[in-house]
Amino acid sequence: MFRTITQTIIIAIIEGLTEFLPVSSTGHMILASAAMNIHEDEFVKTSEIFIQLGAILGIALIYLKRFLQ
C-alpha cells in the first residue's frame, strides 16, 4: 500500500520533531506507519530513507555554517 501525500507529510513532521531528541526517530516513523496501517514495502522503505536524508542534511548544513564561522 502506498502512502498518501498527507501520510508522507505526517511521517516527515514526526521525523523532523524527533530527530533532535535523544530517542529513535526511525522508531517513531515505524510506529506512525503502523498506526496509519501502512505496510512496509520497498517504496515505503525508500521514502523513509529520503525523509531521514533530508533531516540529516539539514543538521549537517547547520553545523557546517557553525564550523565555517
Side-chain angles (χ1 to χ4, degrees):
M1 174 184 209
F2 290 103
R3 285 188 186 155
T4 64
I5 297 290
T6 305
Q7 290 171 328
T8 302
I9 290 171
I10 291 169
I11 296 292
I13 290 171
I14 291 170
E15 169 67 18
L17 292 175
T18 58
E19 184 66 31
F20 298 100
L21 300 175
V23 294
S24 173
S25 58
T26 305
H28 282 89
M29 286 184 3
I30 292 169
L31 289 174
S33 293
M36 290 187 276
N37 200 22
I38 299 171
H39 301 288
E40 289 287 321
D41 60 4
E42 293 303 315
F43 176 78
V44 171
K45 291 177 185 177
T46 302
S47 68
E48 287 178 356
I49 291 169
F50 277 103
I51 289 172
Q52 289 178 328
L53 183 63
I56 292 168
L57 184 61
I59 292 170
L61 290 175
I62 289 171
Y63 282 106
L64 180 66
K65 288 180 183 179
R66 287 185 183 181
F67 286 134
L68 294 177
Q69 290 179 348

